[in-house]
Amino acid sequence: MEKIKSTILLFLLISCKITPGNNLFDPNSPTSLGLLLLSADPVVTMEFSTNRVQPGGVIYVSTNHDFTAKSEGLRLPVSGSGVSPILQVIPRSRFLYEVRMKPTITSGKFSIDLKDYYLNESLLVNPENFEFEIDSQPPILEVRTGNGIDISELQSGFLDIVSNEDIVWEGKLSQVTLSGTAKNSLVVSDMIISSRNIRLLFAGNPNSNGGILTVSFSGVKDKASNSEGVVMVPVKVFAFKSGPNLNVARRSCVGIELDDGRRLVLGGKAKKEVLINGNGTLSHSEIYDSALKKFVQGPDMLFRRQEFDAVKLLDGRIFAVGGIGGKIGAVNDGLTATEVYDPITNTWTEGPQLSLPRLFHKMTVLPNGDVLVVGGMSPYKPTQSVGTVELVHITNNPATMTVEVVGNLDDPRGKHTQIFSQTTGKVIIIGGERSDAFGPLSNDFTPKALDSIELYDINTKTLSKSTAKLYKRFNHFVHGLENGEILIFGGMNSRFDDSQPVLRAQIYNPTTDTIRDHKNLLFGREWGSSFVFPYGKDQLIVAGGLEYRTGSGSTFDSIHDTESWSESINRFYMTSRSLNARWDGCDIRYSSTGGGMILGGRIGDILGNTEEYSFE
């Protein structure tokens, strides 16, 4: 008998002629009549106008079933939610119902279980379950890259604004306005809109100095019809602009932002004709006065230093170590001396001595406040790399600080990079240049770029060698990614007449101790005045440096063009230009606002000018 019913049902479904536009599940349709003839359960369909609704808002339900004939009307049982957000269900016709929400319930996700409820009435319901959300918050709009962009993104003609939820918007040009210091002649010429992205297409030119560009949108709603009326999206437009001159032109310097926001530049090498304390290697320091918009002289370091390193300690003091120089006088020598600058007292105090002199070394401040000093080059001829790794135990009083030799690198190196990995508790020591002396004369040494990575474990105070092989490089850059991996890029792979820039970028994973190739740089860069800092959620910019142009490496140019890298876009791309194509200077990163300042360096001669990359 069941087989006969199924055959008749199939025949009716195939043979029934349904007028186009009629509801297939209408109770008066031939299909439903066929189901009734076979004593099958009728199918009730329900269509909900939205799955997001404001507190006190309305969802409309259209259906093919007449619930007005029932004394209890249309019932929508909310399951597993505690208090139901539904205030009342009002029939607007036999097949249309208005479902009003309680204004007192302002948030939450809810589920209506239709299948089990109507099964008792021998009704098949489609859908069997409906989920909806009470939403009182308007959509949030922001720039895809975070809160800042490079000016080239406006000059290139478009900008992406993203929403945290689906939007409902007409998208008329009259609903978008631009204002702010970065606007200049910039106008929105067109838009491309998707559910969560508004791409603005521009005409005209922004202010070449950057600034703030405020994009205002009117009429943007979410699916629950929430709206702020006018949504204002302020965008920090970063650009290179001329900064104040240094009082003393210099290269091979160190720049650091202090905790109070002041910017400090230290040491370096002055022009040939400039002698301070009897020498062109500088103990001279300068501090940028943001109120006066100029550099003022700071307290001299105790030692003249160039090719040294300095870091900011956890308490905000500055710790300067090594390099080549000395105290007052005409003679330069390798330095084992350390010293500490206290921004509160504005004084330098001598610290402990390293076990041996070094320059082109690197330092890392560890989580406990101590400082790891790694590698470097011997200041004596023939040039030899330093393999000794020392740990400086930091105290409140520099006189009580001590130095501990913790081991030796497997590959002595200088001009390397290093970065602390929080996920593994290790300092990752990457690449660099190794120079081995083979005789007594000044040129009796063999330099080579390294492809090795070494690891210092802060818990066991031991060194080990990674199994990962780097593309050999020195004078390169690293950046820690949000997922704990390390982006490695730039640098040189050899010296002298066969010098070649490294375009290949790589990503090292400290957890798995593996390395993989990444997208290439647009320019091969070396000599540390190229700098990297974030200006958005995941944005970096690389500027300056040297690129060797010939196959033999004997000709080189300093680089004007800059490029950016984004963790979301995951590639390098061309951005704006710096004002000066400089190298071998120093930079200061602005931790609070993003951006920074490039100072000194050289383009042939040593420079005293600076430039800021900022939106201010």
Side-chain angles (χ1 to χ4, degrees), residues 472-501:
K472 62 179 183 178
R473 63 183 84 207
F474 61 89
N475 279 339
H476 52 286
F477 308 94
V478 295
H479 173 68
L481 307 182
E482 287 186 355
N483 64 2
E485 294 185 319
I486 298 167
L487 175 68
I488 308 163
F489 57 97
M492 298 295 297
N493 64 8
S494 58
R495 287 188 67 183
F496 304 120
D497 288 339
D498 60 349
S499 296
Q500 292 296 312

Side-chain angles (χ1 to χ4, degrees), residues 167-279:
I167 58 173
V168 179
W169 190 46
E170 293 177 275
K172 297 177 181 178
L173 288 177
S174 60
Q175 294 176 300
V176 183
T177 57
L178 302 179
S179 60
T181 56
K183 179 182 181 298
N184 197 19
S185 62
L186 206 66
V187 295
V188 177
S189 59
D190 203 355
M191 288 180 287
I192 302 172
I193 304 168
S194 63
S195 60
R196 293 198 178 192
N197 192 90
I198 303 170
R199 171 163 287 188
L200 303 176
L201 305 179
F202 293 110
N205 294 302
N207 183 343
S208 60
N209 285 328
I212 298 292
L213 178 70
T214 300
V215 187
S216 300
F217 300 88
S218 62
V220 177
K221 301 179 181 179
D222 64 9
K223 287 190 171 181
S225 295
N226 294 304
S227 175
E228 284 189 352
V230 176
V231 182
M232 302 179 70
V233 182
V235 184
K236 299 174 181 177
V237 182
F238 287 77
F240 285 98
K241 62 199 73 176
S242 181
N245 285 344
L246 294 166
N247 293 298
V248 179
R250 64 188 76 206
R251 65 169 178 86
S252 305
C253 47
V254 173
I256 296 180
E257 183 181 52
L258 302 176
D259 282 350
D260 60 13
R262 290 181 298 160
R263 286 117 196 199
L264 177 69
V265 58
L266 301 170
K269 177 71 173 176
K271 292 183 178 182
K272 291 181 179 179
E273 64 273 15
V274 176
L275 298 179
I276 298 177
N277 292 335
N279 198 288

Side-chain angles (χ1 to χ4, degrees), residues 14 123 211 222 226 250 253 259 265 281 285 307 376 415 434 448 499 511 587:
I14 295 172
L123 294 174
D222 64 9
N226 294 304
R250 64 188 76 206
C253 47
D259 282 350
V265 58
T281 298
S285 76
E307 279 84 45
K415 304 178 185 176
R434 175 169 181 166
K448 64 176 180 179
S499 296
T511 303
D587 59 83

Side-chain angles (χ1 to χ4, degrees), residues 57-360:
V58 172
I59 296 177
Y60 289 95
V61 182
S62 60
T63 178
N64 63 348
H65 190 80
D66 182 6
F67 286 96
T68 60
K70 297 177 177 291
S71 59
E72 65 275 14
L74 173 64
R75 289 171 294 172
L76 298 173
V78 177
S79 61
S81 62
V83 179
S84 171
I86 296 176
L87 178 65
Q88 64 181 137
V89 179
I90 304 171
R92 293 304 181 190
S93 71
R94 292 169 58 196
F95 302 112
L96 180 65
Y97 297 83
E98 179 183 312
V99 183
R100 292 186 179 179
M101 301 296 157
K102 297 174 182 176
T104 54
I105 297 181
T106 58
S107 64
K109 294 183 178 181
F110 304 90
S111 178
I112 299 175
D113 186 2
L114 299 169
K115 175 184 175 182
D116 292 342
Y117 186 81
Y118 284 103
L119 193 61
N120 296 329
E121 299 187 16
S122 300
L123 294 174
L124 295 177
V125 183
N126 181 27
E128 296 179 344
N129 181 274
F130 175 70
E131 295 182 348
F132 67 98
E133 182 176 352
I134 304 291
D135 178 11
S136 61
Q137 300 300 317
I140 298 172
L141 302 181
E142 65 178 1
V143 184
R144 179 175 294 279
T145 56
N147 60 2
I149 60 171
D150 184 82
I151 194 170
S152 64
E153 297 189 50
L154 297 179
Q155 294 168 333
S156 66
F158 72 89
L159 181 66
D160 282 334
I161 307 291
V162 296
S163 172
N164 66 325
E165 58 178 309
D166 290 352
I167 58 173
V168 179
W169 190 46
E170 293 177 275
K172 297 177 181 178
L173 288 177
S174 60
Q175 294 176 300
V176 183
T177 57
L178 302 179
S179 60
T181 56
K183 179 182 181 298
N184 197 19
S185 62
L186 206 66
V187 295
V188 177
S189 59
D190 203 355
M191 288 180 287
I192 302 172
I193 304 168
S194 63
S195 60
R196 293 198 178 192
N197 192 90
I198 303 170
R199 171 163 287 188
L200 303 176
L201 305 179
F202 293 110
N205 294 302
N207 183 343
S208 60
N209 285 328
I212 298 292
L213 178 70
T214 300
V215 187
S216 300
F217 300 88
S218 62
V220 177
K221 301 179 181 179
D222 64 9
K223 287 190 171 181
S225 295
N226 294 304
S227 175
E228 284 189 352
V230 176
V231 182
M232 302 179 70
V233 182
V235 184
K236 299 174 181 177
V237 182
F238 287 77
F240 285 98
K241 62 199 73 176
S242 181
N245 285 344
L246 294 166
N247 293 298
V248 179
R250 64 188 76 206
R251 65 169 178 86
S252 305
C253 47
V254 173
I256 296 180
E257 183 181 52
L258 302 176
D259 282 350
D260 60 13
R262 290 181 298 160
R263 286 117 196 199
L264 177 69
V265 58
L266 301 170
K269 177 71 173 176
K271 292 183 178 182
K272 291 181 179 179
E273 64 273 15
V274 176
L275 298 179
I276 298 177
N277 292 335
N279 198 288
T281 298
L282 300 173
S283 58
H284 188 272
S285 76
E286 303 188 41
I287 297 175
Y288 177 60
D289 187 319
S290 58
L292 299 175
K293 299 293 183 184
K294 69 176 185 179
F295 281 95
V296 297
Q297 185 168 345
D300 282 355
M301 291 188 290
L302 303 177
F303 293 84
R304 296 177 284 102
R305 300 178 189 268
Q306 67 181 79
E307 279 84 45
F308 67 109
D309 198 10
V311 292
K312 183 164 67 175
L313 302 176
L314 296 185
D315 59 11
R317 293 178 297 168
I318 306 302
F319 186 50
V321 173
I324 188 169
K327 289 195 174 181
I328 296 174
V331 179
N332 280 344
D333 202 350
L335 295 174
T336 59
T338 71
E339 54 188 299
V340 178
Y341 172 65
D342 188 332
I344 297 175
T345 62
N346 199 35
T347 57
W348 288 93
T349 305
E350 189 165 352
Q353 298 285 319
L354 299 180
S355 64
L356 73 170
R358 60 182 87 205
L359 56 151
F360 296 120

Side-chain angles (χ1 to χ4, degrees), residues 432-454:
E433 183 181 69
R434 175 169 181 166
S435 182
D436 294 308
F438 58 84
L441 301 179
S442 61
N443 289 328
D444 289 348
F445 65 94
T446 304
K448 64 176 180 179
L450 292 173
D451 62 3
S452 63
I453 297 174
E454 301 196 45

